[in-house]
Amino acid sequence: MTPPASLAPAVLDATGATPVMAQFFEMKTRQPDALIFFRMGDFYELFFDDAIRAAAALGISQTFRGTHNGAPIPMAGVPHHAAEAYLSKLIRLGFKVAVCEQMEDPAEARKRGSKSIVRRDIVRVVTPGTLTEDGLLDARGANRLAAVAVRAGQAAVAAVELSTGEVECFLVAKDNVAAILAALAPSETLVVDRLLSDEVLSQALKICGGLIQPMPSALAEPQASETRVKRLYGVDTLDGFGGLTSPEVAALGLIAAHLEMTQAGRLPALRAPRRAAEADVMAIDPATRASLEIDRTQGGGRDGSLLAAIDRTVTASGARLLAARLARPLLNPEAIDARLDAVEWLIDQRPLRQRLREVLKGGGDMARALSRLALGRGGPRDLGCLKDGLKVGERLAGMVGGSADPLSPPPAEIESALRHLTPALHDGLSGFLLALEAGLGPDLPAQARDGGFVAAGVRPELDQARALRDDSRKVVAALESRLVAESGVPLKIRHNGVLGYFVEATAGKADPLFQPPLNATFIHRQTLANQVRFTTVELADLDARIAQAAERALAMEVAAFEDWRAQACALAEPIQLAAEALARLDVAAALAEWAEDGGAVRPIVDRSLAFEAKAGRHPVVEAAVKRAGEPYTPNDCCLDAAGEAGPRLSIVTGPNMAGKSTFLRQNALLAILAQSGCFVPAKAFRLGVVDRLFSRVGAGDDLARGRSTFMMEMVETAAILTQASPRSLVILDEIGRGTATYDGLAIAWACAEALHDTNRCRALFATHYHELATLETRLDHVSNLSLRAKEWNGDLVFLHEAAAGPADRSYGVQVAKLAGVPAPVVARAREVLDRLEGEDSSPAKLDDLPLFAAVAPPPPGRAAPSGVDVALAELDVDGMSPREALESLYRLKGLLKS
């Protein structure tokens, strides 16, 4: 996604502008490509071109207010209390929004003079990758800001999840940037503007979606980048981050520059960059990721994806961690086994797992709460979230530690999480938790300015101020009763932010208050349509005393909040570790729950080249079939790139709708689950680590780039044939179907040979070209599989069983009948098919085709020239008369007939 086209503002010249408009122009000069949300009282106003664009995007009214240089000023506005919803819509549409707040109370501005205006400043610039508010984020999905940098041919991708503080760096080859970006799925990607002219990188950015934000090249220069990263982390050297390379520093520098601009100087609570190389995670390109529907279906929804099928997490942070694990399966068998150990232990500890999951539900989202507090956007509820999360962690540590079986201690993954969840093991964290437990009241407001969140008895001076404020309410009630008695007029004492306390009577009853002697007591303030408002000297004095007490109480509460917020920021690292520990426990318990419910088993993941699935099942399709009350047919699959325990390449044939594509995807998903540290739906599963997963399943086109469905198929196939290694897993479905029969068969045949002989990888190759079945006898490590179907009383019954051997036919006409093709068309198709199958001359036998004969060098020498060749060579064309030329032509024609 690219930002919406920026139209030139209607007015750029600030000459003659009013003081308020001059403020707006100053903000617009600082953020020319952003919409300016200009705070004016209870509204955010937009002016000039910003108003026109925002009104069109949001569907709100656009009016005019005043003039500038003789022209009316376009204006639109949104209420302050509802701004979050409007911001969300604008960000989804690709806009950048600069929020300009009032930095002082209007009363303070008036002290400088009657014509002084409120001081305003930009407090943040909102972009898709820098969101932190719960209302703008998907609680169960990550929201990453990524950056891509290239130095000396080496690329780096850096990513930050600002809402949780997680930072990652990947050092990759330029051709593999797309796979990393597809795994990260960033909402916004920063890239140096000059790199957009690189076709490979530009295409990778477009495929992976999100907003593409060009950045000036100077921001990625080594020295400038290093300085910004140091400033971001508040360190003097980057050596503590493990020797970051120049491309990594450049990518992090782009992120640092963007955060400095968007966060208006506030430093987020970021963790140290977690570095990874290409050798650490399974590479899955965008096309493969889309076809396998790992975390999103091809329609864009979550339901129907692998993630939705296995997700049993009970916390938002756990859901995000599970999605991240599925997006980036590991390559290290030891690290995979550590995750599997945790899942297996919790399967065995069923009662403990159920209690653990129940307690986890109260944990909240500490990582995002901490990020909001660090950026100055948090409130008392975020402190409450930290308190609840730390308390839950403390309970879990005691629960698991106290119930552990000495003969079956928690595995390392669980033990590590429990250490981070024990506040007593971290200096300051235990005291912070105690302070929050004692200091926070039961009802917490969203913002500190609303007050009422500090518990009674914590700060004596606050209790005194509150007592004065609250007792004054009783005094107001008593004064109201006395004034009613003295005046004989039914009146009320009310309060608002403009007048303070005032006496209000209905218009029909207020007349005595204007007459002597009551007019000496009641001073007229305001007349409305149905009410008249007054004050008295006594009420004004009481108003001042109440306001002072309330202001003092609120000031003390805000000071307490800032103190706790500062403590939270100082303890950011242990709090982040505790938040991550809760997420890890949630994921392990959720996967154990799913494994138990779904009959999944622990996979064996090693460094072999094997792929052995016994009674494997597709987790998404199985769930759908069970919901329909039907049984799911499991299938075996055995591959071995070494050709020892099984074939390297399996040719999969069978009719349409028999389940070939499901069988292919099923085995790819089993590999992803296993290397993500999940149990797999099968009776047994052994997997040699897969370094790259390729899927060419399904049809699609790219009309914007002038690519047909067949062209897209060939582009994706070319990527597989040039990148797959012996450790890769490839699934191909109906290669060559989009062109002429012989062309398609030739391409499919050549691709199968290349996968077997050149790439030497584990591969499943589904096809309707039954001629490919002969590869089993022509190549060393090829087998045939077929998805079975039977005809019964003229109907086709799909068995969904993968059996050894090729299919006898494709049953295309029967499938057309099942699809509802009109009966006359089906009958005619059957008639044509019977005629074609009965003709010996159609089509040519496979072994008669030179294309599929054994590859041999061309014969030496040239074929003997024909009589026509000799006669043509002897002709002297330039010396012929027209009659001689005609005679020669007749002679050549005669030679052709002979």
Side-chain angles (χ1 to χ4, degrees):
M1 178 174 66
T2 54
S6 180
L7 304 174
V11 179
L12 289 174
D13 184 8
T15 305
T18 64
V20 172
M21 283 295 99
Q23 262 188 347
F24 170 80
F25 282 120
E26 179 190 350
M27 305 306 160
K28 192 64 180 176
T29 301
R30 287 163 54 184
Q31 293 294 335
D33 58 343
L35 300 179
I36 307 295
F37 264 37
F38 195 79
R39 182 72 178 272
M40 298 186 76
D42 291 333
F43 280 78
Y44 284 112
E45 304 290 2
L46 300 102
F47 299 104
F48 299 106
D49 183 57
D50 287 1
I52 297 171
R53 297 167 65 201
L58 297 173
I60 59 176
S61 298
Q62 183 255 302
T63 60
F64 295 91
R65 173 178 175 173
T67 61
H68 178 71
N69 291 339
I73 300 174
M75 185 186 79
V78 300
H80 168 257
H81 67 272
E84 205 168 85
Y86 291 105
L87 268 178
S88 177
K89 186 172 182 179
L90 288 171
I91 295 306
R92 286 199 305 271
L93 291 172
F95 288 94
K96 181 194 294 185
V97 180
V99 180
C100 179
E101 288 285 3
Q102 295 180 172
M103 306 305 291
E104 61 182 352
D105 189 271
E108 291 296 318
R110 285 194 291 270
K111 292 178 182 179
R112 298 195 299 271
S114 59
K115 295 186 178 180
S116 296
I117 62 171
V118 174
R119 185 168 54 86
R120 294 178 175 88
D121 201 359
I122 292 175
V123 296
R124 66 183 293 205
V125 179
V126 187
T127 65
T130 59
L131 304 177
T132 56
E133 291 83 353
D134 280 341
L136 302 180
L137 293 170
D138 175 6
R140 301 178 72 83
N143 186 67
R144 296 188 179 91
L145 170 68
V148 178
V150 177
R151 289 228 169 261
Q154 180 72 59
V157 178
V160 60
E161 165 66 287
L162 192 62
S163 67
T164 63
E166 182 182 4
V167 182
E168 298 174 281
C169 276
F170 299 86
L171 194 63
V172 297
K174 192 166 68 171
D175 292 345
N176 293 332
V177 167
I180 293 297
L181 287 177
L184 293 170
S187 301
E188 182 178 5
T189 303
L190 312 175
V191 59
V192 174
D193 46 18
R194 61 179 172 78
L195 292 180
L196 292 176
S197 61
D198 186 304
E199 186 175 352
V200 173
L201 283 178
S202 180
Q203 183 61 20
L205 292 166
K206 290 176 183 176
I207 289 174
C208 297
L211 178 71
I212 301 169
Q213 188 69 55
M215 304 285 280
S217 299
L219 295 179
E221 291 302 316
Q223 192 60 44
S225 296
E226 184 174 344
T227 301
R228 286 191 183 88
V229 176
K230 289 177 182 176
R231 189 161 58 236
L232 179 65
Y233 279 98
V235 296
D236 294 327
T237 177
L238 300 182
D239 293 345
F241 296 152
L244 294 170
T245 63
S246 179
E248 289 173 306
V249 172
L252 287 170
L254 290 177
I255 288 177
H258 193 64
L259 293 182
E260 286 179 357
M261 182 271 292
T262 58
Q263 305 310 306
R266 287 189 177 272
L267 291 178
L270 298 182
R271 302 180 65 177
R274 185 166 64 235
R275 303 176 67 202
E278 289 178 276
D280 294 337
V281 295
M282 180 194 293
I284 308 175
D285 62 56
T288 298
R289 195 173 294 278
S291 73
L292 294 179
E293 301 181 315
I294 299 171
D295 58 355
R296 287 287 183 274
T297 64
Q298 295 189 36
R302 187 176 186 273
D303 290 342
S305 66
L306 173 64
L307 175 61
I310 73 169
D311 188 0
R312 301 289 189 277
T313 56
V314 295
T315 68
S317 58
R320 295 195 299 269
L321 179 60
L322 177 60
R325 288 187 176 184
L326 287 179
R328 285 168 280 168
L330 300 177
L331 296 186
N332 187 325
E334 288 74 24
I336 296 168
D337 279 337
R339 292 180 179 178
L340 293 172
D341 289 343
V343 176
E344 185 173 34
W345 188 79
L346 285 169
I347 290 176
D348 296 338
Q349 303 281 339
R350 192 171 188 272
L352 174 63
R353 182 181 79 239
Q354 292 177 335
R355 295 200 308 274
L356 182 149
R357 283 168 57 80
E358 195 61 36
V359 172
L360 274 170
K361 292 177 182 178
D365 198 337
M366 286 199 294
R368 286 189 168 174
L370 176 64
S371 181
R372 286 191 292 272
L373 289 167
L375 290 169
R377 296 174 203 146
R381 288 179 188 171
D382 291 309
L383 288 175
C385 180
L386 296 187
K387 179 196 73 173
D388 294 341
L390 293 173
K391 192 64 181 174
V392 163
E394 194 174 50
R395 283 186 62 192
L396 290 176
M399 181 190 303
V400 178
S403 62
D405 182 352
L407 299 179
S408 179
E413 179 90 355
I414 302 291
E415 285 281 12
S416 172
L418 295 179
R419 282 196 302 273
H420 293 309
L421 291 175
T422 307
L425 298 180
H426 304 278
D427 292 338
L429 200 57
S430 180
F432 178 59
L433 175 58
L434 291 174
L436 291 182
E437 287 184 300
L440 289 176
D443 298 319
L444 303 177
Q447 300 295 328
R449 63 173 178 266
D450 296 329
F453 57 87
V454 177
V458 177
R459 303 200 173 193
E461 66 278 14
L462 174 59
D463 293 339
Q464 292 172 6
R466 283 175 170 173
L468 176 59
R469 178 195 65 193
D470 297 338
D471 288 346
S472 297
R473 293 172 184 168
K474 297 177 184 178
V475 175
V476 169
L479 177 60
E480 179 184 292
S481 300
R482 181 159 55 84
L483 291 175
V484 170
E486 291 175 355
S487 66
V489 176
L491 51 82
K492 295 286 185 182
I493 295 181
R494 301 189 186 280
H495 181 274
N496 67 26
V498 177
L499 298 179
Y501 283 99
F502 55 87
V503 176
E504 184 175 86
T506 61
K509 302 288 186 180
D511 191 60
L513 302 181
F514 288 102
Q515 308 299 325
L518 294 180
N519 64 347
T521 302
F522 292 91
I523 304 167
H524 178 250
R525 295 290 305 275
Q526 191 177 38
T527 298
L528 304 178
N530 298 311
Q531 288 89 24
V532 183
R533 293 171 176 174
F534 303 85
T535 189
T536 70
V537 174
E538 185 179 3
L539 182 58
D541 178 63
L542 181 60
D543 188 3
R545 288 190 289 115
I546 292 173
Q548 290 171 3
E551 287 173 3
R552 286 200 309 274
L554 181 58
M556 283 185 276
E557 288 206 74
V558 170
F561 171 78
E562 288 299 326
D563 180 43
W564 287 327
R565 189 183 75 84
Q567 290 183 52
C569 293
L571 295 168
E573 185 176 355
I575 291 174
Q576 288 168 334
L577 290 172
E580 183 183 10
L582 286 178
R584 284 159 52 196
L585 284 178
D586 186 21
V587 169
L591 290 176
E593 192 81 6
W594 173 74
E596 189 173 85
D597 291 345
V601 300
R602 176 170 180 157
I604 299 172
V605 183
D606 55 32
R607 290 184 170 82
S608 70
L609 296 175
F611 184 103
E612 299 171 7
K614 184 173 177 59
R617 310 187 303 277
H618 191 301
V620 181
V621 177
E622 182 184 27
V625 167
K626 284 186 175 180
R627 282 195 298 271
E630 299 176 4
Y632 183 88
T633 304
N635 281 299
D636 297 348
C637 180
C638 182
L639 297 170
D640 188 348
E644 298 171 355
R648 182 179 298 155
L649 169 68
S650 284
I651 305 294
V652 183
T653 52
N656 290 302
M657 299 294 294
K660 297 190 302 299
S661 296
T662 298
F663 178 72
L664 265 60
R665 287 189 174 103
Q666 165 184 305
N667 289 291
L669 292 180
L670 293 182
I672 290 174
L673 286 171
Q675 290 185 216
S676 298
C678 309
F679 277 39
V680 297
K683 284 188 176 179
F685 186 60
R686 177 181 174 228
L687 177 69
V689 167
V690 173
D691 65 346
R692 301 181 71 93
L693 180 61
F694 294 98
S695 169
R696 165 86 278 288
V697 179
D701 54 29
D702 187 354
L703 298 180
R705 303 181 68 201
R707 291 179 174 179
S708 66
T709 300
F710 180 68
M711 183 61 175
M712 286 298 295
E713 177 184 298
M714 290 299 98
V715 168
E716 293 172 11
T717 302
I720 293 171
L721 296 176
T722 56
Q723 297 179 42
S725 73
R727 193 163 284 286
S728 300
L729 175 63
V730 175
I731 61 172
L732 293 171
D733 189 16
E734 299 188 37
I735 292 298
R737 63 183 165 181
T739 188
T741 302
Y742 283 161
D743 285 359
L745 177 56
I747 292 169
W749 186 288
C751 288
E753 285 185 337
L755 289 171
H756 181 276
D757 296 336
T758 305
N759 301 102
R760 304 174 67 85
C761 59
R762 291 161 286 184
L764 294 171
F765 196 113
T767 184
H768 282 290
Y769 295 125
H770 292 179
E771 295 85 348
L772 293 184
T774 62
L775 286 174
E776 185 174 31
T777 60
R778 292 169 177 262
L779 300 176
D780 293 335
H781 307 299
V782 175
S783 72
N784 281 304
L785 292 175
S786 59
L787 274 296
R788 297 302 191 191
K790 296 290 185 184
E791 285 189 274
W792 181 260
N793 294 331
D795 292 327
L796 188 62
V797 179
F798 299 115
L799 304 180
H800 302 297
E801 295 176 356
D808 55 351
R809 55 193 301 188
S810 286
Y811 298 97
V813 175
Q814 287 87 339
V815 173
K817 177 183 175 183
L818 290 175
V821 173
V825 177
V826 173
R828 176 59 177 159
R830 195 182 301 277
E831 178 185 336
V832 173
L833 177 63
D834 291 342
R835 181 180 301 174
L836 290 173
E837 289 181 339
E839 293 178 0
D840 293 336
S841 60
S842 176
K845 301 300 184 185
L846 180 66
D847 289 338
D848 294 339
L849 299 177
L851 173 66
F852 301 113
V855 177
R862 298 180 61 184
S866 66
V868 176
D869 292 330
V870 174
L872 280 171
E874 292 174 350
L875 291 178
D876 181 13
V877 179
D878 294 330
M880 286 183 179
S881 68
R883 182 178 181 82
E884 289 171 337
L886 183 61
E887 290 175 349
S888 298
L889 184 59
Y890 278 115
R891 188 169 70 253
L892 291 172
K893 187 175 180 180
L895 289 173
L896 281 175
K897 292 180 179 180
S898 61

